Structure formats: structure tokens, C-alpha cells
Amino acid sequence: MTATAPVRRTGLRDFYENPAVPVASGTPRSLRQARMLAAALGPAGEAPRTILDIGCGDGTAAATAAPLLPGHRLVGVDWSQDALSRARTRLAHTVRGELGGGGLPFGSGSVDAVLFSEVIEHLVDPDAALDELRRVLRPGGHLMLSTPNLAAWYNRALLLAGVQPVFSEVSLRAIHGRPGREVVGHLRLYTARALREFVAAAGFEVVRLEGAPFHGVPRPLRPLDRLACARPQLASILLLHARKT
């Protein structure tokens, strides 16, 4: 996903406006996250809920979730005009907004759920970001957050071998010291324990933590990666469900 704007205008803005930078998460983890949200919200009935996909990128994650959330209102939010232009081909509702500066263009306590898929690892100030998400959520509102796992099973082995962990980046220009070639602008990485503690400290109650696979794992290792999802501490991707207290 694309990241929401950093606190200050930096080269990161230009980086994320580059059409070559990936703006979509993998479908398997988007589906897992959507199922978690659908179970939390229940059927729309006569009271459809408003769900924001913050950092929606090209809208793939929200479009993947939509069939599992019939009747609810999904709104894609991003600060990148390029990403929003692509998202509009998949989503009925899109809004330009950012977590920094003046904040999101939504009233306090006005939304029922937030999808925050692969965004937090891109942020300069994740504390302010969670404060803003908490502001727009109603009491008891749902936060569905996903992010790469620093302590994924293969990263533990790579560190022992003196290799830079997957998902970590030391430059916005190229990958150095680890497998892979794609630079996506990761600034922060979390373990399962760190993510739980961080979200709880921001005023949320952690309801559930699950694991999801990573599409970039080499094909012969994908069965092992799926197996690791049974233990979120070892999984490639962390999927966290929390509620505003």
C-alpha cells in the first residue's frame, strides 16, 4: 500500500508519487483481513457501517474486501493523486486525505472501522497516525492493521547468517544486504509483541492477532510460509484486530 504523508515534506512524497512504486498488498492477506473485519462487523442489515481504507493505494485491498462486506460503505483514502486515480477504477468512494498536517477529512467518532493495510511501516510518525485513527473511530470502532513481521521465520535465520532482514530497507534507491530488488519505502518494522504493545499504548484493545503469508517467498518455501501462519510470531505478515476503548 502507499503510505500516508510523513510529518514534513521530504523526498518520501516524490518517492510515493512514482507510479513504479507498488501500491497493492497481496490478495491472500487482504482476504484474511477482510474476513476478520466481516466477522467483527456482522451483516449490514438496516445499519450499514462506514469503513475507511487508509492508504488505499490502487484500491485492490478494498475491492478484494468488498464482496465480504455487502451493504457496508467502503471509502478509499490516500494522499497520492496517482494512487487515487487508479483506486477510482475499483471503488465507488475515494477521498484525498493524510494522517499528518490537518488530519483526515472526517469528523471525530464518525466511522465504524478502519483498514490500515501495510501502511504503518512507511510512516515517520506512527504515534500521531494511530492518534488520528482513534479520533475518527467511534467508541468500540474496529482497527484492522496489517504489517510485515520483522521476526518472520526466515528473518530469524537471515539475521543469524548476518544478512539484512527481508522487509527492511537502508535506502530509497536500492536494496542492500538482503534478498530482493524491490524498494517500497519501509521505515519501521514490528514484531508481534511490539505491535501489540504499540497499539495498546495508543488506546486500543487488541482483540486478535493472526498471521498471513507473503507473496514474495520463493515458491518451494511457500508451504512452510503458510504453515508459519499458525503462529503469528513467526508469520510473514501480522494481521491485528483492535477496538477503540
Side-chain angles (χ1 to χ4, degrees):
M1 313 308 295
T2 56
T4 45
V7 175
R8 298 184 299 273
R9 289 189 64 89
T10 71
L12 285 175
R13 281 189 179 271
D14 294 332
F15 176 82
Y16 289 118
E17 287 287 3
N18 182 350
V21 175
V23 292
S25 295
T27 299
R29 59 187 182 269
S30 295
L31 279 172
R32 288 181 182 228
Q33 191 175 44
R35 291 189 187 106
M36 291 170 70
L37 180 56
L41 290 179
E46 296 180 359
R49 309 293 180 86
T50 297
I51 304 161
L52 304 183
D53 183 4
I54 305 292
C56 68
D58 65 3
T60 299
T64 299
L68 300 177
L69 299 162
H72 296 299
R73 181 172 180 258
L74 270 167
V75 182
V77 183
D78 209 295
W79 66 269
S80 168
Q81 293 285 19
D82 178 73
L84 286 175
S85 67
R86 286 181 269 176
R88 291 187 187 106
T89 66
R90 297 180 172 93
L91 303 176
H93 308 285
T94 60
V95 176
R96 189 174 192 275
E98 58 183 82
L99 294 170
L104 297 169
F106 300 93
S108 298
S110 63
V111 302
D112 300 284
V114 167
L115 285 170
F116 205 44
S117 303
E118 265 94 316
V119 174
I120 198 167
E121 65 270 16
H122 298 268
L123 299 181
V124 173
D125 191 351
D127 301 277
L130 285 196
D131 288 345
E132 181 63 2
L133 297 184
R134 191 172 186 279
R135 180 188 70 79
V136 300
L137 281 168
R138 65 170 176 79
H142 302 276
L143 171 64
M144 314 301 294
L145 185 156
S146 66
T147 192
N149 182 10
L150 175 61
W153 60 275
Y154 41 81
N155 278 345
R156 298 178 185 225
L158 290 174
L159 277 172
L160 285 175
V163 178
Q164 186 82 11
V166 174
F167 308 123
S168 66
E169 296 176 348
V170 299
S171 170
L172 292 179
R173 297 178 180 177
I175 294 298
H176 301 287
R178 70 156 173 83
R181 298 179 180 178
E182 193 173 71
V183 180
V184 294
H186 288 174
L187 304 180
R188 301 179 183 276
L189 291 175
Y190 300 80
T191 64
R193 177 177 176 177
L195 187 64
R196 279 180 175 273
E197 292 183 3
F198 173 63
V199 172
F204 292 89
E205 175 192 1
V206 176
V207 177
R208 189 175 181 183
L209 182 68
E210 292 190 6
F214 174 49
H215 66 275
V217 170
R219 188 174 296 275
L221 297 177
R222 289 179 186 176
L224 184 56
D225 193 42
R226 290 193 294 270
L227 186 64
C229 292
R231 295 192 63 188
Q233 301 93 327
L234 299 176
S236 288
I237 306 295
L238 300 172
L239 303 178
L240 182 139
H241 171 205
R243 299 186 69 180
K244 176 180 173 179
T245 57

Short mmCIF file of all heavy atoms in Angstrom, two decimals, residues 103-167:
data_model
loop_
_atom_site.label_atom_id
_atom_site.label_comp_id
_atom_site.label_asym_id
_atom_site.label_seq_id
_atom_site.Cartn_x
_atom_site.Cartn_y
_atom_site.Cartn_z
N GLY A 103 -4.85 16.48 9.27
CA GLY A 103 -5.58 15.27 9.63
C GLY A 103 -6.55 14.82 8.56
O GLY A 103 -6.68 15.43 7.50
N LEU A 104 -7.26 13.74 8.85
CA LEU A 104 -8.21 13.17 7.90
C LEU A 104 -9.47 14.02 7.79
O LEU A 104 -9.89 14.62 8.78
CB LEU A 104 -8.59 11.75 8.35
CG LEU A 104 -7.45 10.73 8.39
CD1 LEU A 104 -7.91 9.45 9.10
CD2 LEU A 104 -6.97 10.41 6.98
N PRO A 105 -10.08 14.07 6.61
CA PRO A 105 -11.28 14.90 6.41
C PRO A 105 -12.56 14.20 6.89
O PRO A 105 -13.55 14.10 6.16
CB PRO A 105 -11.29 15.12 4.89
CG PRO A 105 -10.69 13.87 4.35
CD PRO A 105 -9.63 13.46 5.34
N PHE A 106 -12.54 13.73 8.14
CA PHE A 106 -13.69 13.06 8.74
C PHE A 106 -13.84 13.55 10.18
O PHE A 106 -12.84 13.83 10.86
CB PHE A 106 -13.51 11.54 8.73
CG PHE A 106 -13.36 10.96 7.35
CD1 PHE A 106 -12.10 10.76 6.80
CD2 PHE A 106 -14.47 10.64 6.59
CE1 PHE A 106 -11.95 10.24 5.53
CE2 PHE A 106 -14.34 10.12 5.32
CZ PHE A 106 -13.07 9.92 4.78
N GLY A 107 -15.08 13.64 10.63
CA GLY A 107 -15.34 14.10 11.97
C GLY A 107 -14.94 13.08 13.02
O GLY A 107 -14.81 11.88 12.74
N SER A 108 -14.78 13.54 14.25
CA SER A 108 -14.43 12.66 15.35
C SER A 108 -15.57 11.67 15.61
O SER A 108 -16.75 12.05 15.61
CB SER A 108 -14.16 13.47 16.61
OG SER A 108 -13.05 14.34 16.43
N GLY A 109 -15.21 10.39 15.78
CA GLY A 109 -16.21 9.37 16.06
C GLY A 109 -17.18 9.14 14.93
O GLY A 109 -18.32 8.71 15.18
N SER A 110 -16.76 9.36 13.69
CA SER A 110 -17.70 9.30 12.56
C SER A 110 -17.62 8.01 11.75
O SER A 110 -18.44 7.80 10.86
CB SER A 110 -17.46 10.50 11.63
OG SER A 110 -16.16 10.45 11.07
N VAL A 111 -16.64 7.15 12.01
CA VAL A 111 -16.51 5.94 11.20
C VAL A 111 -16.51 4.71 12.10
O VAL A 111 -16.18 4.78 13.29
CB VAL A 111 -15.24 5.95 10.32
CG1 VAL A 111 -15.24 7.17 9.40
CG2 VAL A 111 -13.99 5.93 11.15
N ASP A 112 -16.89 3.59 11.52
CA ASP A 112 -17.05 2.36 12.29
C ASP A 112 -15.84 1.45 12.25
O ASP A 112 -15.63 0.64 13.16
CB ASP A 112 -18.26 1.58 11.76
CG ASP A 112 -19.54 2.40 11.87
OD1 ASP A 112 -20.06 2.52 12.99
OD2 ASP A 112 -20.00 2.92 10.84
N ALA A 113 -15.06 1.54 11.18
CA ALA A 113 -13.90 0.65 11.06
C ALA A 113 -12.87 1.28 10.14
O ALA A 113 -13.20 2.07 9.25
CB ALA A 113 -14.31 -0.72 10.53
N VAL A 114 -11.61 0.91 10.37
CA VAL A 114 -10.51 1.38 9.54
C VAL A 114 -9.67 0.18 9.11
O VAL A 114 -9.27 -0.63 9.93
CB VAL A 114 -9.60 2.37 10.31
CG1 VAL A 114 -8.30 2.60 9.57
CG2 VAL A 114 -10.33 3.69 10.53
N LEU A 115 -9.45 0.08 7.80
CA LEU A 115 -8.47 -0.83 7.26
C LEU A 115 -7.16 -0.07 7.13
O LEU A 115 -7.12 1.01 6.52
CB LEU A 115 -8.91 -1.34 5.88
CG LEU A 115 -10.02 -2.37 5.83
CD1 LEU A 115 -10.49 -2.56 4.38
CD2 LEU A 115 -9.56 -3.70 6.40
N PHE A 116 -6.10 -0.62 7.69
CA PHE A 116 -4.80 0.05 7.70
C PHE A 116 -3.77 -0.98 7.24
O PHE A 116 -3.00 -1.52 8.02
CB PHE A 116 -4.52 0.55 9.12
CG PHE A 116 -3.58 1.71 9.21
CD1 PHE A 116 -3.69 2.79 8.36
CD2 PHE A 116 -2.59 1.74 10.19
CE1 PHE A 116 -2.83 3.88 8.46
CE2 PHE A 116 -1.74 2.83 10.31
CZ PHE A 116 -1.86 3.90 9.44
N SER A 117 -3.80 -1.26 5.93
CA SER A 117 -3.06 -2.38 5.36
C SER A 117 -1.69 -1.95 4.85
O SER A 117 -1.60 -1.18 3.89
CB SER A 117 -3.85 -3.01 4.21
OG SER A 117 -5.13 -3.41 4.64
N GLU A 118 -0.65 -2.47 5.46
CA GLU A 118 0.73 -2.20 5.05
C GLU A 118 1.00 -0.72 4.87
O GLU A 118 1.53 -0.28 3.84
CB GLU A 118 1.05 -2.95 3.77
CG GLU A 118 1.71 -4.27 4.02
CD GLU A 118 0.74 -5.44 4.08
OE1 GLU A 118 -0.33 -5.36 4.71
OE2 GLU A 118 1.09 -6.45 3.50
N VAL A 119 0.64 0.05 5.87
CA VAL A 119 0.87 1.49 5.86
C VAL A 119 1.81 1.90 6.99
O VAL A 119 2.74 2.68 6.78
CB VAL A 119 -0.47 2.27 6.00
CG1 VAL A 119 -0.20 3.76 6.14
CG2 VAL A 119 -1.36 2.01 4.80
N ILE A 120 1.62 1.33 8.16
CA ILE A 120 2.32 1.82 9.34
C ILE A 120 3.83 1.70 9.20
O ILE A 120 4.58 2.51 9.76
CB ILE A 120 1.81 1.10 10.60
CG1 ILE A 120 2.18 1.90 11.85
CG2 ILE A 120 2.30 -0.34 10.68
CD1 ILE A 120 1.47 1.45 13.09
N GLU A 121 4.30 0.73 8.44
CA GLU A 121 5.75 0.56 8.28
C GLU A 121 6.38 1.65 7.43
O GLU A 121 7.60 1.78 7.38
CB GLU A 121 6.06 -0.82 7.68
CG GLU A 121 5.57 -1.05 6.29
CD GLU A 121 4.16 -1.63 6.25
OE1 GLU A 121 3.45 -1.59 7.28
OE2 GLU A 121 3.78 -2.13 5.18
N HIS A 122 5.54 2.47 6.77
CA HIS A 122 6.03 3.55 5.92
C HIS A 122 6.06 4.91 6.62
O HIS A 122 6.51 5.89 6.03
CB HIS A 122 5.13 3.69 4.69
CG HIS A 122 5.10 2.49 3.81
ND1 HIS A 122 5.95 2.30 2.74
CD2 HIS A 122 4.32 1.39 3.84
CE1 HIS A 122 5.69 1.15 2.15
NE2 HIS A 122 4.70 0.58 2.80
N LEU A 123 5.57 5.00 7.84
CA LEU A 123 5.32 6.30 8.46
C LEU A 123 6.49 6.83 9.28
O LEU A 123 7.15 6.08 10.01
CB LEU A 123 4.09 6.23 9.36
CG LEU A 123 2.78 5.85 8.67
CD1 LEU A 123 1.65 5.84 9.69
CD2 LEU A 123 2.47 6.82 7.54
N VAL A 124 6.71 8.13 9.18
CA VAL A 124 7.69 8.80 10.03
C VAL A 124 7.18 8.87 11.46
O VAL A 124 7.93 8.66 12.41
CB VAL A 124 7.98 10.22 9.48
CG1 VAL A 124 8.87 11.00 10.45
CG2 VAL A 124 8.63 10.13 8.11
N ASP A 125 5.89 9.16 11.64
CA ASP A 125 5.31 9.35 12.97
C ASP A 125 4.10 8.43 13.15
O ASP A 125 2.95 8.86 13.04
CB ASP A 125 4.90 10.81 13.16
CG ASP A 125 4.52 11.15 14.59
OD1 ASP A 125 4.41 10.22 15.41
OD2 ASP A 125 4.33 12.34 14.90
N PRO A 126 4.32 7.15 13.45
CA PRO A 126 3.19 6.23 13.62
C PRO A 126 2.34 6.53 14.85
O PRO A 126 1.15 6.20 14.88
CB PRO A 126 3.86 4.85 13.73
CG PRO A 126 5.23 5.14 14.21
CD PRO A 126 5.61 6.46 13.60
N ASP A 127 2.93 7.18 15.87
CA ASP A 127 2.15 7.53 17.06
C ASP A 127 1.04 8.51 16.70
O ASP A 127 -0.13 8.32 17.09
CB ASP A 127 3.07 8.16 18.12
CG ASP A 127 4.19 7.23 18.53
OD1 ASP A 127 3.96 6.37 19.40
OD2 ASP A 127 5.30 7.36 17.98
N ALA A 128 1.39 9.57 15.96
CA ALA A 128 0.39 10.55 15.54
C ALA A 128 -0.65 9.91 14.62
O ALA A 128 -1.83 10.26 14.66
CB ALA A 128 1.07 11.72 14.84
N ALA A 129 -0.22 8.94 13.81
CA ALA A 129 -1.14 8.27 12.90
C ALA A 129 -2.21 7.51 13.68
O ALA A 129 -3.41 7.62 13.38
CB ALA A 129 -0.37 7.33 11.98
N LEU A 130 -1.81 6.74 14.69
CA LEU A 130 -2.80 5.99 15.47
C LEU A 130 -3.69 6.93 16.27
O LEU A 130 -4.87 6.64 16.47
CB LEU A 130 -2.10 5.00 16.40
CG LEU A 130 -1.53 3.75 15.73
CD1 LEU A 130 -1.23 2.68 16.78
CD2 LEU A 130 -2.44 3.17 14.66
N ASP A 131 -3.14 8.06 16.73
CA ASP A 131 -3.98 9.05 17.41
C ASP A 131 -5.09 9.54 16.49
O ASP A 131 -6.25 9.72 16.90
CB ASP A 131 -3.13 10.25 17.87
CG ASP A 131 -2.23 9.92 19.05
OD1 ASP A 131 -2.44 8.88 19.71
OD2 ASP A 131 -1.31 10.72 19.31
N GLU A 132 -4.75 9.78 15.22
CA GLU A 132 -5.74 10.28 14.26
C GLU A 132 -6.76 9.20 13.92
O GLU A 132 -7.96 9.50 13.79
CB GLU A 132 -5.03 10.78 13.00
CG GLU A 132 -5.94 11.34 11.92
CD GLU A 132 -6.71 12.59 12.34
OE1 GLU A 132 -6.53 13.08 13.48
OE2 GLU A 132 -7.50 13.08 11.52
N LEU A 133 -6.32 7.97 13.79
CA LEU A 133 -7.27 6.88 13.53
C LEU A 133 -8.22 6.72 14.71
O LEU A 133 -9.42 6.50 14.52
CB LEU A 133 -6.52 5.57 13.27
CG LEU A 133 -5.62 5.53 12.05
CD1 LEU A 133 -5.04 4.13 11.87
CD2 LEU A 133 -6.37 5.96 10.79
N ARG A 134 -7.70 6.83 15.90
CA ARG A 134 -8.53 6.71 17.10
C ARG A 134 -9.55 7.85 17.15
O ARG A 134 -10.68 7.67 17.58
CB ARG A 134 -7.66 6.70 18.35
CG ARG A 134 -8.41 6.31 19.61
CD ARG A 134 -7.46 6.14 20.79
NE ARG A 134 -8.18 5.64 21.95
CZ ARG A 134 -8.89 6.39 22.78
NH1 ARG A 134 -8.96 7.71 22.59
NH2 ARG A 134 -9.54 5.86 23.79
N ARG A 135 -9.15 9.04 16.70
CA ARG A 135 -10.06 10.18 16.71
C ARG A 135 -11.28 9.93 15.82
O ARG A 135 -12.42 10.19 16.22
CB ARG A 135 -9.34 11.45 16.23
CG ARG A 135 -10.22 12.70 16.22
CD ARG A 135 -9.54 13.88 15.55
NE ARG A 135 -9.40 13.72 14.12
CZ ARG A 135 -10.36 13.92 13.22
NH1 ARG A 135 -11.58 14.28 13.63
NH2 ARG A 135 -10.14 13.75 11.93
N VAL A 136 -11.05 9.43 14.60
CA VAL A 136 -12.17 9.30 13.67
C VAL A 136 -13.04 8.08 13.96
O VAL A 136 -14.20 8.03 13.54
CB VAL A 136 -11.68 9.24 12.20
CG1 VAL A 136 -10.92 10.52 11.85
CG2 VAL A 136 -10.84 8.01 11.93
N LEU A 137 -12.52 7.11 14.71
CA LEU A 137 -13.32 5.92 15.04
C LEU A 137 -14.32 6.22 16.15
O LEU A 137 -14.01 6.95 17.10
CB LEU A 137 -12.40 4.78 15.48
CG LEU A 137 -11.69 4.00 14.37
CD1 LEU A 137 -10.60 3.11 14.97
CD2 LEU A 137 -12.69 3.17 13.57
N ARG A 138 -15.49 5.65 16.04
CA ARG A 138 -16.46 5.74 17.11
C ARG A 138 -16.00 4.88 18.28
O ARG A 138 -15.16 3.98 18.10
CB ARG A 138 -17.83 5.27 16.63
CG ARG A 138 -17.87 3.79 16.26
CD ARG A 138 -19.27 3.31 16.02
NE ARG A 138 -19.31 1.91 15.57
CZ ARG A 138 -19.16 0.86 16.36
NH1 ARG A 138 -18.96 1.02 17.67
NH2 ARG A 138 -19.21 -0.37 15.88
N PRO A 139 -16.52 5.08 19.50
CA PRO A 139 -16.20 4.19 20.61
C PRO A 139 -16.55 2.74 20.26
O PRO A 139 -17.63 2.45 19.75
CB PRO A 139 -17.09 4.71 21.74
CG PRO A 139 -17.28 6.16 21.42
CD PRO A 139 -17.37 6.21 19.92
N GLY A 140 -15.61 1.85 20.45
CA GLY A 140 -15.81 0.46 20.08
C GLY A 140 -15.53 0.18 18.62
O GLY A 140 -15.66 -0.97 18.17
N GLY A 141 -15.12 1.21 17.85
CA GLY A 141 -14.83 1.03 16.43
C GLY A 141 -13.63 0.12 16.22
O GLY A 141 -12.77 -0.04 17.09
N HIS A 142 -13.56 -0.47 15.03
CA HIS A 142 -12.58 -1.51 14.74
C HIS A 142 -11.39 -0.98 13.93
O HIS A 142 -11.57 -0.24 12.96
CB HIS A 142 -13.25 -2.65 13.96
CG HIS A 142 -14.41 -3.26 14.66
ND1 HIS A 142 -14.27 -4.25 15.61
CD2 HIS A 142 -15.74 -3.00 14.58
CE1 HIS A 142 -15.46 -4.60 16.06
NE2 HIS A 142 -16.38 -3.85 15.46
N LEU A 143 -10.20 -1.39 14.33
CA LEU A 143 -8.98 -1.12 13.58
C LEU A 143 -8.43 -2.46 13.09
O LEU A 143 -8.16 -3.36 13.89
CB LEU A 143 -7.94 -0.43 14.46
CG LEU A 143 -6.53 -0.29 13.88
CD1 LEU A 143 -6.54 0.61 12.65
CD2 LEU A 143 -5.56 0.25 14.94
N MET A 144 -8.29 -2.59 11.77
CA MET A 144 -7.74 -3.80 11.16
C MET A 144 -6.41 -3.41 10.53
O MET A 144 -6.36 -2.76 9.48
CB MET A 144 -8.69 -4.37 10.11
CG MET A 144 -10.14 -4.47 10.54
SD MET A 144 -10.42 -5.49 12.01
CE MET A 144 -9.96 -7.10 11.39
N LEU A 145 -5.32 -3.76 11.18
CA LEU A 145 -3.99 -3.30 10.80
C LEU A 145 -3.16 -4.49 10.33
O LEU A 145 -3.16 -5.55 10.97
CB LEU A 145 -3.33 -2.63 12.00
CG LEU A 145 -1.96 -1.96 11.86
CD1 LEU A 145 -1.80 -0.89 12.94
CD2 LEU A 145 -0.82 -2.95 11.96
N SER A 146 -2.45 -4.33 9.23
CA SER A 146 -1.51 -5.36 8.79
C SER A 146 -0.15 -4.73 8.51
O SER A 146 -0.06 -3.57 8.09
CB SER A 146 -2.03 -6.08 7.54
OG SER A 146 -2.09 -5.22 6.43
N THR A 147 0.90 -5.51 8.76
CA THR A 147 2.26 -5.02 8.57
C THR A 147 3.21 -6.21 8.49
O THR A 147 2.93 -7.27 9.06
CB THR A 147 2.66 -4.06 9.72
OG1 THR A 147 3.87 -3.37 9.38
CG2 THR A 147 2.86 -4.80 11.03
N PRO A 148 4.34 -6.07 7.80
CA PRO A 148 5.31 -7.16 7.77
C PRO A 148 5.87 -7.46 9.16
O PRO A 148 5.95 -6.58 10.01
CB PRO A 148 6.41 -6.63 6.84
CG PRO A 148 5.74 -5.61 5.99
CD PRO A 148 4.71 -4.98 6.88
N ASN A 149 6.26 -8.69 9.36
CA ASN A 149 6.78 -9.15 10.64
C ASN A 149 8.31 -9.18 10.60
O ASN A 149 8.90 -9.97 9.85
CB ASN A 149 6.23 -10.54 10.95
CG ASN A 149 6.68 -11.07 12.29
OD1 ASN A 149 7.27 -10.36 13.10
ND2 ASN A 149 6.42 -12.34 12.54
N LEU A 150 8.93 -8.34 11.39
CA LEU A 150 10.39 -8.33 11.47
C LEU A 150 10.93 -9.68 11.89
O LEU A 150 12.01 -10.10 11.45
CB LEU A 150 10.84 -7.25 12.47
CG LEU A 150 12.33 -7.17 12.77
CD1 LEU A 150 13.14 -6.86 11.51
CD2 LEU A 150 12.60 -6.11 13.84
N ALA A 151 10.19 -10.40 12.74
CA ALA A 151 10.64 -11.68 13.27
C ALA A 151 10.06 -12.86 12.50
O ALA A 151 9.89 -13.95 13.06
CB ALA A 151 10.30 -11.80 14.75
N ALA A 152 9.74 -12.67 11.22
CA ALA A 152 9.27 -13.79 10.39
C ALA A 152 10.29 -14.92 10.43
O ALA A 152 11.50 -14.69 10.63
CB ALA A 152 9.07 -13.32 8.95
N TRP A 153 9.82 -16.14 10.21
CA TRP A 153 10.68 -17.32 10.39
C TRP A 153 11.98 -17.24 9.60
O TRP A 153 13.05 -17.60 10.10
CB TRP A 153 9.89 -18.58 10.02
CG TRP A 153 9.38 -18.63 8.61
CD1 TRP A 153 8.23 -18.08 8.14
CD2 TRP A 153 10.01 -19.27 7.51
NE1 TRP A 153 8.09 -18.34 6.79
CE2 TRP A 153 9.17 -19.07 6.38
CE3 TRP A 153 11.19 -20.00 7.35
CZ2 TRP A 153 9.49 -19.57 5.11
CZ3 TRP A 153 11.51 -20.51 6.09
CH2 TRP A 153 10.66 -20.29 4.99
N TYR A 154 11.93 -16.74 8.37
CA TYR A 154 13.15 -16.67 7.55
C TYR A 154 14.05 -15.53 7.98
O TYR A 154 15.27 -15.60 7.84
CB TYR A 154 12.80 -16.56 6.06
CG TYR A 154 11.65 -15.64 5.77
CD1 TYR A 154 11.81 -14.26 5.71
CD2 TYR A 154 10.37 -16.15 5.56
CE1 TYR A 154 10.75 -13.42 5.45
CE2 TYR A 154 9.30 -15.32 5.30
CZ TYR A 154 9.50 -13.96 5.24
OH TYR A 154 8.43 -13.13 5.00
N ASN A 155 13.47 -14.44 8.53
CA ASN A 155 14.31 -13.34 9.01
C ASN A 155 15.17 -13.76 10.19
O ASN A 155 16.29 -13.27 10.36
CB ASN A 155 13.43 -12.14 9.39
CG ASN A 155 13.06 -11.30 8.19
OD1 ASN A 155 13.65 -11.44 7.13
ND2 ASN A 155 12.08 -10.42 8.35
N ARG A 156 14.65 -14.65 11.02
CA ARG A 156 15.44 -15.14 12.15
C ARG A 156 16.69 -15.87 11.64
O ARG A 156 17.78 -15.70 12.17
CB ARG A 156 14.58 -16.06 13.01
CG ARG A 156 13.38 -15.34 13.62
CD ARG A 156 12.51 -16.27 14.44
NE ARG A 156 11.30 -15.60 14.90
CZ ARG A 156 10.82 -15.68 16.14
NH1 ARG A 156 11.44 -16.41 17.05
NH2 ARG A 156 9.72 -15.04 16.48
N ALA A 157 16.51 -16.67 10.59
CA ALA A 157 17.64 -17.39 10.02
C ALA A 157 18.60 -16.43 9.31
O ALA A 157 19.83 -16.57 9.41
CB ALA A 157 17.15 -18.46 9.04
N LEU A 158 18.05 -15.45 8.59
CA LEU A 158 18.90 -14.50 7.89
C LEU A 158 19.77 -13.69 8.85
O LEU A 158 20.96 -13.46 8.59
CB LEU A 158 18.04 -13.55 7.05
CG LEU A 158 17.36 -14.15 5.82
CD1 LEU A 158 16.42 -13.14 5.17
CD2 LEU A 158 18.38 -14.64 4.80
N LEU A 159 19.20 -13.26 9.96
CA LEU A 159 19.98 -12.50 10.93
C LEU A 159 21.12 -13.33 11.51
O LEU A 159 22.23 -12.83 11.72
CB LEU A 159 19.07 -11.99 12.05
CG LEU A 159 18.32 -10.69 11.76
CD1 LEU A 159 17.30 -10.40 12.86
CD2 LEU A 159 19.31 -9.52 11.66
N LEU A 160 20.84 -14.61 11.77
CA LEU A 160 21.89 -15.48 12.28
C LEU A 160 23.04 -15.60 11.28
O LEU A 160 24.20 -15.78 11.67
CB LEU A 160 21.32 -16.86 12.59
CG LEU A 160 20.47 -16.98 13.86
CD1 LEU A 160 19.86 -18.36 13.97
CD2 LEU A 160 21.31 -16.67 15.10
N ALA A 161 22.70 -15.48 9.99
CA ALA A 161 23.72 -15.56 8.95
C ALA A 161 24.34 -14.21 8.63
O ALA A 161 25.17 -14.10 7.71
CB ALA A 161 23.11 -16.16 7.68
N GLY A 162 23.92 -13.16 9.36
CA GLY A 162 24.46 -11.83 9.13
C GLY A 162 23.89 -11.13 7.92
O GLY A 162 24.50 -10.22 7.37
N VAL A 163 22.67 -11.53 7.51
CA VAL A 163 22.01 -10.94 6.33
C VAL A 163 20.90 -9.99 6.79
O VAL A 163 20.18 -10.29 7.74
CB VAL A 163 21.41 -12.05 5.43
CG1 VAL A 163 20.68 -11.45 4.24
CG2 VAL A 163 22.51 -12.99 4.95
N GLN A 164 20.79 -8.85 6.12
CA GLN A 164 19.74 -7.88 6.41
C GLN A 164 18.36 -8.55 6.29
O GLN A 164 18.10 -9.27 5.33
CB GLN A 164 19.82 -6.72 5.42
CG GLN A 164 18.88 -5.56 5.68
CD GLN A 164 19.41 -4.59 6.72
OE1 GLN A 164 20.58 -4.68 7.12
NE2 GLN A 164 18.56 -3.69 7.16
N PRO A 165 17.45 -8.34 7.27
CA PRO A 165 16.14 -9.00 7.20
C PRO A 165 15.31 -8.55 6.00
O PRO A 165 15.39 -7.39 5.57
CB PRO A 165 15.46 -8.57 8.51
CG PRO A 165 16.57 -8.14 9.41
CD PRO A 165 17.62 -7.58 8.51
N VAL A 166 14.52 -9.48 5.47
CA VAL A 166 13.54 -9.14 4.44
C VAL A 166 12.57 -8.11 5.02
O VAL A 166 12.29 -8.10 6.21
CB VAL A 166 12.78 -10.41 4.00
CG1 VAL A 166 11.64 -10.07 3.04
CG2 VAL A 166 13.75 -11.41 3.36
N PHE A 167 12.08 -7.22 4.19
CA PHE A 167 11.18 -6.10 4.52
C PHE A 167 11.95 -4.86 4.97
O PHE A 167 11.43 -3.76 4.87
CB PHE A 167 10.13 -6.44 5.59
CG PHE A 167 9.32 -7.68 5.32
CD1 PHE A 167 9.29 -8.71 6.23
CD2 PHE A 167 8.60 -7.80 4.15
CE1 PHE A 167 8.54 -9.86 5.99
CE2 PHE A 167 7.84 -8.93 3.89
CZ PHE A 167 7.82 -9.97 4.82
#
